[in-house]
Amino acid sequence: MRYLKSLNKYFWKYRWRFLLGILFIIASNYFRILSPQVTGYVVNSVEEHLRDNREKEAGLKPSESDHLKLEKSEKREYDILVRVFITRIDLLKPSFGQKVGICGITLLVLALLGGFFMFLMRQTIIVMSRHIEYDQKNEVYGHYQRLDLNFFKTHSTGDMMSRIAEDVSRVRQFTGPAVMYLINLVAVIGFSLFFMIRKDPLLTLYVLAPLPILAITIYYVNNIIHKKSEHIQALLSDLTTNAQESYSGIRVIKSFVQEGAMYQFFQNNSEDYRKNAISLAKVESIYFPSMGLMIGLSTLLTIMIGGIYVIHGTHHTDIGTITEFVIYITMLMFPVSAIGWVASMTQRAAASQKRLNEFLNTEPKIDMPPHGLKKDIEGNIVFDQVGFTYPNTGIRALHRFSLQIKKGQKVAIVGKTGSGKTTLAQLLLRMYDPQEGKIEMDQKDLKEFDLKNLRNQISYVPQDVFLFSDTVSGNIRFGMGSGNEEEVRQAASYAAVEKEIQDFSSQFATLIGERGVTLSGGQKQRISIARALIKNPKVLLLDDCLSAIDANTEKEILSNLNSYLKDRTAIIITHRIFALFDFDLIVVLDEGEIVEKGTHRELMEKNGYYAYLYDLQQQKEE
Ligand code: ADP
């Protein structure tokens, strides 16, 4: 439950709305609680009327003084508003029919008032919960954005999605309906107990005798329901994951002819889910009837014990009181049966909030200096004895890596897969910080820079390109915010993809992804390159992003880059060697360490590892 404390800031933020909601709940219940009293009064009037008639028929004079005495003592037990109402009616001295008519209209007005305030109570409390949900979703999303890459590597997308969607919505079930029903419950119980005890404490005691049994039943049944529904939730999540994998891996499933096996697997999961869901439905089907039984028992006790009192004339109990009590009990039925629901909602919300707090309390490992350097960088980069080990796997990706890159230099990082090339790019973008050594940009430690300012001036094209479900143009100008059509076209032209885009049905306005065109791997890579080039970066980082591009297009892009890069610093990570591109420096990496460096000619003359890689590539291409 303590996890829900973190919601206090939201309740505080919406305190006035919340307070108003509470007032509306009280008002709604206040008007509803007056109906039993008016009904009791009417019933008593009817009974009196019948008695008078009987007495008249028997030729006796109605004993008025007795009546008045009784009425006065009775009136004191009603609510002040009802007392005023009765006094007014008595002053008017209406006929019996008129009296019943006025009471009927009053009951209708009371029901309308109760309903009106109930409407307002939903308008405030449920609306408040929607505001909280909105704030919380933004908070979680905003926090996701702040977290470092390691967090995303160690948490599955499904898990993150379920926290921002399902957990937030479960918390909303608490801040909205659960809180509303809880306050409502307190108000109904408070009001009815107050008037019941005031009217007849002993009868109240008898009537409420089954309540502890009810509470215990609710507690046990609710626990069972809670456990079962948790289990069902987990089964449902498995089922969804299973279905999702089947859809996304459909090509593999079909080519390995595993449709039958996958179907069987899904069916087994589904069967398990069905059995559990049915078992839950059975328990739930006991819940409400048992509640009804208890309430019925209370009603029975009221009529029986009240009836005995009336028959024996003891305890001042009259038929009106019995009627009043029966209505109170009926009014208690729904809120009391909702106790279990409220409890389980609260439990679930606490579990969800705990999961959310786990994320919200995770601090990004990359610390941002509060007043970081915000300046235009030139692109002089120094790696000084840099060592980096991935914290989650303990794999050492870089070891004593030292390299100087001057402004405007074009450097190639060559090596086999797994030699640490991508890690270098990640460190330069400060996705991670090195554990050993340091990286400098323009003679200043990278950590001194304002992170956003730094990343804004470095363009990065990752190995596994990612495009958004947006237009081609939207994807290219992603990092820009603005960027006019001409700039977009120019960038696409540098990336040698413009011609193909012009052939699309809506050219640059063509949608990419499920709702639009499906692009080839090479097209995606080139659009990503265009996205990096349009940013006009000081440093360009290309991470093996020409792998799906044919040799001719590759040549075109490289020659375009030659003119585009001019005085920009460029680091081109590749497992292929581009002999035609005039690199100032080629660094050969193996197992996180530099094994060779120099220009293409120097390295070929050296006839070492680089020359070996190059020969291997030539042989393959031939
Ligand atoms: P390259 O880009 O040369 O293929 P990487 O820099 O991606 O190499 O990887 C270097 C080493 O670090 C590899 O052994 C790889 O398995 C490991 N590695 C890469 N990324 C991660 C990660 N996010 N978590 C743990 N280990 C990683």
Side-chain angles (χ1 to χ4, degrees), residues 153 390 392-393 395 397 416-423 432 463 543:
K153 294 273 184 204
Y390 280 98
N392 53 327
T393 54
I395 292 176
K416 290 186 298 194
T417 21
S419 53
K421 304 184 299 290
T422 302
T423 309
Y432 300 95
Q463 214 168 358
D543 186 356

Side-chain angles (χ1 to χ4, degrees), residues 596-613:
E596 280 176 359
K597 61 181 172 185
T599 60
H600 179 69
R601 256 210 9 237
E602 284 165 9
L603 289 172
M604 286 309 285
E605 277 167 12
K606 206 172 169 191
N607 204 15
Y609 188 54
Y610 179 81
Y612 162 74
L613 287 178

Side-chain angles (χ1 to χ4, degrees), residues 404-422:
Q404 267 200 29
I405 304 172
K406 293 217 174 66
K407 176 190 170 190
Q409 276 192 329
K410 300 359 161 205
V411 176
I413 312 279
V414 184
K416 290 186 298 194
T417 21
S419 53
K421 304 184 299 290
T422 302

